[in-house]
Amino acid sequence: MEAAVIRRTQDTLGKVIRKPPLTDKLLGKPPFRYLHDILSEVIRTAGFFKGLYTESELKSENVKEKDSKISFLQKAIDVVVLVTGEPLSVKPARIVAGHEPEKTNEFLQAIGKCCLNKDRRESEIRERSGSRDRKDRQKDEERKHSEREKKKERERVGETEKDGLRGEKNDREKNRVKEPRPETDRTKEKVRDRERRSEGSHGKERDRTRDKEKVRDRGRGEHEKERNLEKEGDPEDRSRERDKERGDRNRDERTRTREQDKERRRERDSERRKERVKDNEHKADGEEKPEEEMRSERKHKTSEESTKKIADISAREERQVSTS
């Protein structure tokens, strides 16, 4: 076997392990026990192949049968091919038989490269991890600083708003003291209720009084118009105007009279109903009508006669106006 092959093994694998010694004699024709010790040391120092073998397999005295030796080597070869992604032409059975030492050295060189690459990857991972940790810490510090600044800003804004609210509240309190207290709606409603109650039974009488006053005022106004018409304008026109106004007054008077008659009839009917009830009660008791009731009946009859006379007079005046 060429010496260059052994030197490549010593250069690569020698950077990973210190024992067993990588001598030219042992590497020239490596026995299985020597290879078992190399793989065990690689596991111990570099962590490569860790978890691949059982505790029993890591003891050389337990791996003496040919099949167990071939299985032990085959596991290591499969891992190296998987990690490097490159095929190996070495055969476990040929190694156990002591054949193909060059291919066996190639296998050992591949193990050394895997360990060295593993160390580099771990170093790179540690560096990337450290850099990432530093960046994370830096971002975390920046985030905390930003949160502190935001909190301070919110506190400043909050204090400003509180001051403004306190000022507005004080202004409202001052204005409330200065302004007179308005009367509540409930008080107003009570006043209106008292007014309505006080009007109560006298409301109807007041309405009648107001109607009479309106009639008197209207009569005064019409008389004033007649006097004004007499002072100015054509006599015939004034006469026609007076007749027209007289007719209007007569119509208004008739209308008022009819309304008054209706009201009197309603009152009279009501009184009559009451009298009939009393008569029935007196008859049931066998008593005569009191003198007061008799006077009331005579009063109603007189009122009816007066009403009839007024109606007759109004009718005659209307006929006179129509013929003129």
Side-chain angles (χ1 to χ4, degrees), residues 44-58:
R44 189 184 69 81
T45 58
F48 195 62
F49 299 131
K50 187 175 183 180
L52 182 62
Y53 299 106
T54 64
E55 291 292 333
S56 177
E57 288 176 324
L58 291 176

Side-chain angles (χ1 to χ4, degrees), residues 206-222 256:
R206 283 199 298 271
D207 293 339
R208 291 176 181 175
T209 303
R210 283 196 294 271
D211 292 339
K212 292 178 181 180
E213 292 176 353
K214 289 181 180 178
V215 171
R216 287 197 298 271
D217 294 339
R218 194 180 297 114
R220 296 192 192 98
E222 289 172 353
R256 288 193 296 274

